[in-house]
Each structure stands twice: as C-alpha cells, then as structure tokens.
C-alpha cells in the first residue's frame, strides 16, 4: 500500500514550514538591524561634512591629550618607585591625584555643560588633596593623626561645598536673568 508523501506525514510539512518561516524572520530581523541607524549615527549623518570633520579632529585632539596625561602619570608614578614606606604612598597619591585632575580638566574643556564640568574639576581637586593629606597624616600617631585626618576631611568637604555653591549660583544666574554676567547696580 503506497501513500503519497503529502498524505502520510502532514505534520512534517507543517513543522518544516514553521522552521522555514522562523529562519526567514531571523534573517529579515538581522537585515533590518544592519540597515537601521542608531540616533547618534543618524544625527551625525544629518550634520554637514565640515562639522563631522571638526568633531573627528576634536575627538582626535582630546585622545592625544588624554594619552599625554596618561604618559605623564606613568612618569610621575615611576618617580615613586625608588621611595620607601609612607613617602612612596604620598608620592603615589600625588601622582594619581594629578592624573585625575588633569583628566577632569580635559573633560571640562570639551564638555557641553561647562558649569557642571567645572564643579567636577573642583571636586576632583578637593578629593585629590584629601587623598594626599590622608597619606601625610599616616606619619603621625594617636590624637595628632586623628586631628590631622579630621582637618583633611573638613578641608575636602569645605572645598566640595564651595564648588557646589558656585555651580548652583552660576546656574541660577543663567536661569534667572538669561545673561551670563550679573547686572551692574545703578548709581544713586
């Protein structure tokens, strides 16, 4: 008794059709994903070529400056290798702090929100100074060390608070007046 291939296994052709359909959808999705632009690429594509080149050259300059900062940091850390004990810790903290501040300043140079970037630079400087002060306090013992650490924390917190107040004042000034400078008081 012979049966046709279609009649004997109808569920097999349904499974094959389902698999073929799933594979087709997978390929279609992959093809769509390759042709869809991300928002950043779409924005870049809408910019004129001269602006795209400027963005690229600006990025290259920032990368070069960042590389220079990292090379300087390596050299500064290498100077610490010959030192011993806490002097080495202080030197390393100074080198790391100098690197962090330089990178924060570089980011501020290219940032869109200058006020926020400058606040971050000031906070980074305060944190770097604090880390060095902590290492210097390690040379002391007992109450002198505790007082030194407390003073370092107070100075760090004061610097960070000042940076925050300055940034808030600059934001309020820009938002309130729409100007970049305060108005001069009228003479009486």
């Amino acid at each position: 008794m012979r049966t046709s291939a279609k009649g004997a296994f109808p569920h097999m052709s349904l499974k094959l059709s389902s698999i073929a359909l799933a594979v087709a959808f997978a390929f279609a999705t992959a093809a769509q994903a390759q042709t869809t632009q991300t928002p950043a690429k779409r924005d870049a594509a809408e910019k004129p070529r001269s602006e795209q080149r400027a963005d690229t050259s600006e990025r290259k300059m920032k990368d070069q400056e960042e590389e220079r900062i990292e090379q300087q940091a390596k050299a500064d850390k290498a100077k610490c290798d010959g030192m011993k004990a806490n002097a080495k810790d202080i030197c390393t903290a100074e080198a790391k702090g100098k690197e962090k501040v330089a990178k924060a300043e570089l980011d501020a140079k290219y940032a869109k929100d200058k006020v926020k970037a400058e606040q971050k630079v000031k906070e980074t400087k305060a944190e770097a100074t604090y880390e060095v002060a902590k290492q210097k306090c390690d040379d002391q013992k007992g109450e002198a060390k505790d007082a030194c650490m407390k003073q370092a924390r107070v100075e760090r917190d004061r610097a960070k608070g000042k940076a925050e107040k300055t940034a808030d004042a600059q934001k309020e000034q820009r938002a309130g007046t729409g100007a970049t400078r305060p108005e001069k008081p009228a003479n009486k």
Side-chain angles (χ1 to χ4, degrees), residues 54-67:
D55 289 347
T56 303
S57 65
E58 191 173 284
R59 183 74 198 142
K60 285 181 183 177
M61 286 175 44
K62 184 178 179 187
D63 289 345
Q64 288 173 348
E65 289 180 50
E66 194 166 349
E67 182 65 30

Side-chain angles (χ1 to χ4, degrees), residues 96-127:
K96 286 180 181 178
K98 186 177 172 184
E99 179 184 16
K100 287 179 182 178
V101 169
K103 284 185 176 183
E105 288 173 341
L106 178 63
D107 289 343
K109 183 177 176 180
Y110 294 99
K112 291 180 182 174
D113 185 356
K114 298 291 185 188
V115 173
K116 188 174 182 180
E118 284 301 320
Q119 178 183 355
K120 185 170 169 56
V121 168
K122 290 175 183 175
E123 289 176 352
T124 303
K125 284 180 181 179
E127 201 62 44

Side-chain angles (χ1 to χ4, degrees), residues 79-100:
K79 290 177 186 175
C80 301
D81 289 341
M83 297 180 180
K84 302 253 187 240
N86 199 39
K88 183 175 183 173
D89 295 340
I90 293 169
C91 181
T92 302
E94 288 172 343
K96 286 180 181 178
K98 186 177 172 184
E99 179 184 16
K100 287 179 182 178

